[in-house]
Amino acid sequence: MLDAVHVGRQPIFDVAGVVVAYELLFRGRMDDVASGRQDTYATSAVMVNAFTEFGIAEVAGNRPCFINLTREFVTGRLPLPFGPEQVVLEVLETVHVDDEVIGGLTALSEAGYKIALDDFVWGSGHEQLLGLASYVKLDLLDGDLSRLDEIVAACREYPGLELVAERLETETQVAIADRYGMELRQGYALSRPQVLSTPSLSPSRLRRLELVAALMSPDVPLEKITSIIVSDPALALRVLRVSNSVAAGVVSRISSVRQAVMLVGLTRIRRWATLMVVDDVAEAPEEQLLTALTQARLCENLAPRFGADPGAAFVAGLVIGMAGLMAMTPAAMADQLPLTAEVSDALTIGSGRLGEVLRAVRAYENGEWDAGNLAGLSLDAMRWSTRTLTAAHRFSPATARRRGPAARPA
């Protein structure tokens, strides 16, 4: 069984009732109406799920996303893995404002990120952040409306600062937003949050940690990073999705994992790997990953016989293997990834030299030996995949428990 990941999405409307943005919310289950979590884990899970499991284009199209930030992200102790292009950083009301927070938000603002102040309360210390903010969110359900005149007047002293009326649940509250000319609106009276779900295969913990460790070296070879990523199909798929994110600033098309790494950049690859460690969910079943990885490796091995690029063949085989595990068609998955026309066409219509590679591998797996004798290449692919996953699982927590305390690695 594949795990499913979820993210909540609540529209934010303008005064004309047009959806102009979404707030992304942590949801642990498909039937979660609301979440009580506003901690670092919840923030990390939203980021990882929205950008690497769904792909931000699937979640929000080209609209900006409001994402809650805890103190760890505000101050830079945990790095943001995406650029400022499609996000609004929402500072939670639970973040205590001090010099470190002001310094962190100043740096983020100077880097081009837009800042929103959530559940704004005058006197909480967050009024010190008005000069850095693009949005102020006012709770019209449980907030103190007795000081609303004062708060709105103070906010209007900052040109360009927009007010977001949130938690609108009645027509009376909508009327209050109208009366004060609040530019944006959010709440059950307009739209309840929608929970989006998708099947997920998590990269192995060891691979994430190995990737983070390797990226700590300033002169790590690109080939080493690429080899770690391609050794874990789920991790490779996440990197491909990140390279397709508008927030990653990548517009080029790719034909290999190496190109995806180069386009996204080692700095953002490090940040995503770090965030996945924080997100730390269960490892994917080894036998499922073995099948997907073997297929990708076999495509890579076979590519030279057809004059196809081995890196592109690996990606095509990986997409087919992962699509099968996630109950998707290769064409549907290809639509979510920034693949070159050659790779995309091979997956969707079977054209070109890559299409020939994929047909040959499929024929071999179906027992149609007229596709050519691939036994040797298949054996090599199986051995490589088994070695790769054995190394990844050798010191996993479950293996360590089976071996007992004496066998645990130092």
Side-chain angles (χ1 to χ4, degrees), residues 10 167-171 173-174 186-192:
Q10 186 172 29
R167 302 191 70 195
L168 302 180
E169 296 194 3
T170 66
E171 290 302 320
Q173 290 157 357
V174 174
Q186 177 183 8
Y188 285 5
L190 305 175
S191 177
R192 290 178 175 269

Side-chain angles (χ1 to χ4, degrees), residues 47-386:
M47 292 179 186
V48 169
N49 291 347
F51 283 86
T52 74
E53 296 288 0
F54 291 92
I56 197 63
E58 296 294 313
V59 173
N62 60 0
R63 297 179 180 88
C65 296
F66 284 62
I67 297 178
N68 293 337
L69 290 194
T70 57
R71 183 182 182 90
E72 288 79 5
F73 289 99
V74 169
T75 59
R77 293 177 186 174
L78 283 174
L80 294 176
F82 41 68
E85 294 84 2
Q86 201 179 350
V87 294
V88 176
L89 307 179
E90 194 165 323
V91 183
L92 291 168
E93 70 278 10
T94 54
V95 174
H96 173 68
V97 176
D98 54 21
D99 289 344
E100 187 180 19
V101 166
I102 294 174
L105 288 174
T106 299
L108 289 170
S109 177
E110 291 174 349
Y113 292 91
K114 291 186 176 181
I115 310 297
L117 306 181
D118 188 34
D119 286 347
F120 183 81
V121 175
W122 191 268
S124 66
H126 283 224
E127 63 272 9
Q128 302 173 67
L129 305 177
L130 286 174
L132 297 171
S134 297
Y135 304 93
V136 169
K137 302 186 76 173
L138 300 175
D139 183 348
L140 299 190
L141 178 64
D142 292 330
D144 181 7
L145 303 186
S146 66
R147 302 190 66 180
L148 204 51
D149 287 344
E150 178 184 356
I151 292 172
V152 171
C155 291
R156 294 306 185 199
E157 294 181 7
Y158 296 86
L161 185 64
E162 293 188 275
L163 298 180
V164 184
E166 63 176 344
R167 302 191 70 195
L168 302 180
E169 296 194 3
T170 66
E171 290 302 320
T172 299
Q173 290 157 357
V174 174
I176 293 174
D178 289 337
R179 185 187 318 149
Y180 285 94
M182 298 182 186
E183 291 83 1
L184 303 177
R185 291 94 189 282
Q186 177 183 8
Y188 285 5
L190 305 175
S191 177
R192 290 178 175 269
Q194 177 187 11
V195 180
L196 308 178
S197 298
T198 190
S200 169
L201 285 174
S202 172
S204 72
R205 292 184 180 95
L206 183 63
R207 277 295 179 260
R208 290 184 241 179
L209 293 171
E210 183 182 358
L211 183 58
V212 171
L215 287 165
M216 291 302 149
S217 173
D219 55 353
V220 59
L222 181 63
E223 288 69 24
K224 179 175 177 61
I225 299 304
T226 303
S227 68
I228 295 172
I229 293 171
V230 301
S231 69
D232 187 321
L235 184 57
L237 187 63
R238 285 187 173 192
V239 171
L240 290 171
R241 282 196 174 127
V242 167
S243 71
N244 197 38
S245 298
V246 176
V250 175
V251 296
S252 301
R253 314 304 286 179
I254 65 167
S255 63
S256 70
V257 175
R258 187 179 191 276
Q259 282 184 318
V261 173
M262 292 177 65
L263 288 170
V264 177
L266 295 185
T267 298
R268 282 186 178 158
I269 294 291
R270 181 191 302 116
R271 292 174 179 178
W272 278 117
T274 302
L275 207 58
M276 283 188 278
V277 171
V278 175
D279 185 42
D280 204 23
V281 292
E283 296 180 23
E286 182 175 353
E287 64 276 7
Q288 294 180 331
L289 295 182
L290 182 63
T291 300
L293 200 55
T294 299
Q295 180 165 282
R297 177 69 170 189
L298 181 55
C299 289
E300 181 183 24
N301 286 345
L302 185 60
R305 291 193 185 183
F306 293 88
D309 177 68
F314 182 93
V315 167
L318 177 69
V319 170
I320 289 177
M322 298 299 281
L325 293 176
M326 300 175 72
M328 298 175 65
T329 66
M333 182 165 284
D335 285 341
Q336 299 180 10
L337 303 173
L339 303 174
T340 60
E342 179 191 17
V343 177
S344 180
D345 288 348
L347 290 166
T348 55
I349 61 176
S351 66
R353 295 176 178 177
L354 281 181
E356 294 181 47
V357 173
L358 298 180
R359 281 193 295 276
V361 170
R362 183 166 56 249
Y364 174 76
E365 292 175 344
N366 291 338
E368 300 168 8
W369 289 92
D370 58 339
N373 185 359
L374 304 187
L377 296 181
S378 178
L379 183 59
D380 172 83
M382 180 63 73
R383 286 173 175 167
W384 179 84
S385 302
T386 302

